[in-house]
């Protein structure tokens, strides 16, 4: 059976442009062979047979099914075809027949249907693409592939992540999920029940060049040995791989850059493909440049506690001006900058003025409420009765100042009352203590949240997997029973550290600042 020209043009829209008007084909799948058997066509356009082969396979891929269910491990996209050709630039030629003229040369071409858009993609296979396909199809261990290629495991992870993003590989969803025991709220977006990222806030040292009046912990703790830190990173790598999450290590302290082996530990973290961040103090430019030579952090967070006089009363003389200068340095070096303020009764009226001062100096400004823990117990908290009005004025300021961020979970209570869209709150998932966030101290103690005593294990004696799935971590993930029926529980949960500072039972009583069902 022959096929009319219009069928050829629909099946081979580019190849058919170069066929004679009376060209006939017995089977629609045989155009490449027919071109090879035609001395005229093969002579005039020797690349035409390979071009037709690509168009034929592209048509077949467009009809290929994709998995309906989530995959349980890394897999090659089942629609993908790896096609050998003897001409370069053929995929580009399919898009533009004037600029992209094929050249002789052997290469592999990838053709696949993207799992999200369902659109067929076609491009030359890079060395990274072929490596990603080899690792997954042969079930190779990432560490072995890195060792054989003399590269870091992070480099291999980046290659696999890129292949997943482009749809060449399929990966399982995150296994960090809020199980059926966690309150579902009302009308909450399902993505708040599963986190694709995990953060380890790592207090690598107690050493600090400041002595702030609200410091949560000035205790003496065993010094972290570099060898211990490397074992922690290996364990964290296994945890991340098992749970299919991207992981961020937020280095803090004390002042993390005062840790003697900071650069070595920072590099080991980067080599494993972890995102990095710094929660620290202003430091000299040379030290920041050494860090940048390894990897640029996702952000560098410093703290200010109000305007100059109040801030320096809390953090030490000259700290305010040093911090402003340091923020200018971060901008000069292209590092995303964040300023965190601890909200107290004495600095409440300075917050918005400080935010205005930082408008052009910082990328993000947020606050945490004072947790009356450690030395912070000597300071006065904002009165709960005045807090809703403060949130309202802060949110109004945020509408006009792009650096102001809404971090406190109770913003979502205000949003819910006003029919506005709720956001992610404190950790992107309301209270993320023990869920998408853990805190590790220099002596190996693991806490669900650093701002209150919340010990759930020891990283030197247990694996993170054992700690994360243990009953103590689960208790912190569930939070307080008083919030179980709240319609916005998945994006709120109050602040356990604030409740602890008020002497409340954090697993039974709710955040004292929550005004739900109270007179406001």
């Amino acid at each position: 059976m022959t096929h009319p020209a219009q069928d050829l043009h629909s099946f081979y829209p580019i190849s058919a442009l170069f066929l004679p008007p009376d060209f006939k084909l017995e089977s629609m799948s045989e155009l490449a062979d027919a071109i090879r058997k035609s001395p005229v066509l093969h002579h005039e356009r020797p690349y035409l047979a390979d071009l037709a082969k690509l168009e034929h396979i592209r048509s077949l891929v467009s009809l290929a099914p994709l998995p309906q269910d989530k995959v349980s491990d890394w897999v090659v996209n089942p629609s993908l075809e790896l096609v050998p050709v003897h001409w370069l630039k053929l995929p580009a030629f399919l898009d533009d027949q004037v600029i992209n003229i094929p050249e002789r040369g052997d290469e592999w071409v990838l053709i696949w249907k993207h799992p999200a858009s369902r659109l067929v993609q076609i491009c030359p296979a890079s060395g990274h693409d072929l490596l990603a396909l080899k690792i997954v199809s042969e079930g190779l261990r990432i560490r072995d592939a890195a060792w054989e290629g003399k590269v870091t495991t992070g480099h291999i992870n980046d290659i696999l992540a890129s292949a997943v993003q482009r749809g060449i590989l399929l990966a399982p969803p995150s296994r960090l999920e809020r199980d059926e025991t966690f309150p579902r709220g009302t009308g909450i977006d399902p993505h708040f029940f599963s986190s694709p990222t995990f953060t380890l806030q790592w207090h690598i040292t107690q050493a600090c060049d400041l002595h702030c009046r609200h410091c949560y912990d000035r205790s003496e703790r065993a010094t972290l040995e570099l060898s211990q830190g490397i074992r922690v990173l290996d364990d964290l790598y296994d945890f991340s791989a098992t749970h299919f999450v991207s992981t961020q290590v937020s280095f803090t302290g004390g002042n993390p850059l005062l840790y003697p082996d900071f650069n070595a530990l920072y590099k080991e973290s980067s080599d494993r493909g972890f995102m990095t961040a710094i929660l620290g103090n202003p430091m000299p430019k040379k030290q920041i440049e050494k860090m940048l030579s390894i990897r640029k952090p996702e952000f560098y967070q410093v703290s200010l506690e109000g305007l100059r006089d109040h801030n320096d009363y809390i953090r030490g003389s000259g700290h305010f001006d040093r911090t402003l200068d340091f923020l200018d340095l971060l901008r000069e070096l292209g590092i995303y900058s964040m300023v965190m303020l601890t909200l107290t009764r004495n600095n409440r009226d300075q917050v918005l003025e400080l935010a205005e001062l930082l408008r052009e100096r910082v990328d993000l400004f947020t606050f945490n409420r004072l947790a009356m823990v450690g030395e912070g117990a000597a300071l006065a908290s904002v009165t709960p009765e005045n807090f809703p009005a403060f949130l309202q004025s802060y949110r109004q300021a945020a509408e006009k100042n792009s650096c102001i961020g809404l971090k406190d979970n109770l913003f979502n209570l205000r949003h819910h009352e006003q029919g506005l869209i709720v956001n992610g709150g404190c950790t992107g998932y309301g209270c993320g203590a023990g869920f998408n966030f853990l805190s590790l101290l220099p002596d190996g103690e693991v806490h669900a949240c650093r701002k209150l005593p919340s010990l759930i294990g020891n990283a030197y004696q247990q694996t993170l997997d054992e700690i994360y799935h243990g009953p103590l971590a689960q208790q912190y993930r569930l939070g307080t029973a008083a919030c179980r029926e709240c319609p916005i529980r998945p994006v709120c949960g109050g602040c356990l550290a604030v409740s602890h500072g008020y002497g409340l039972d954090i697993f039974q009583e709710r955040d004292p600042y929550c005004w739900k069902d109270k007179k406001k």
Side-chain angles (χ1 to χ4, degrees), residues 213-217 370-379 381 450-453 496-502:
R213 293 178 182 270
H214 62 315
C215 186
Y216 301 126
D217 183 7
L370 173 70
M372 293 183 289
V373 177
E375 297 184 9
L379 301 182
S381 296
R450 183 64 182 105
K451 295 196 298 178
L452 80 158
L496 300 182
V498 170
S499 294
H500 174 83
Y502 269 81

Side-chain angles (χ1 to χ4, degrees), residues 18 35 67 78 97 171 178 243 268 293 369 436 438 444-445 470 482:
F18 307 108
I35 292 172
Q97 294 80 55
R178 286 171 158 165
H243 292 83
E268 292 285 349
S293 69
R369 280 175 282 150
N436 67 329
L438 290 177
E445 285 190 1

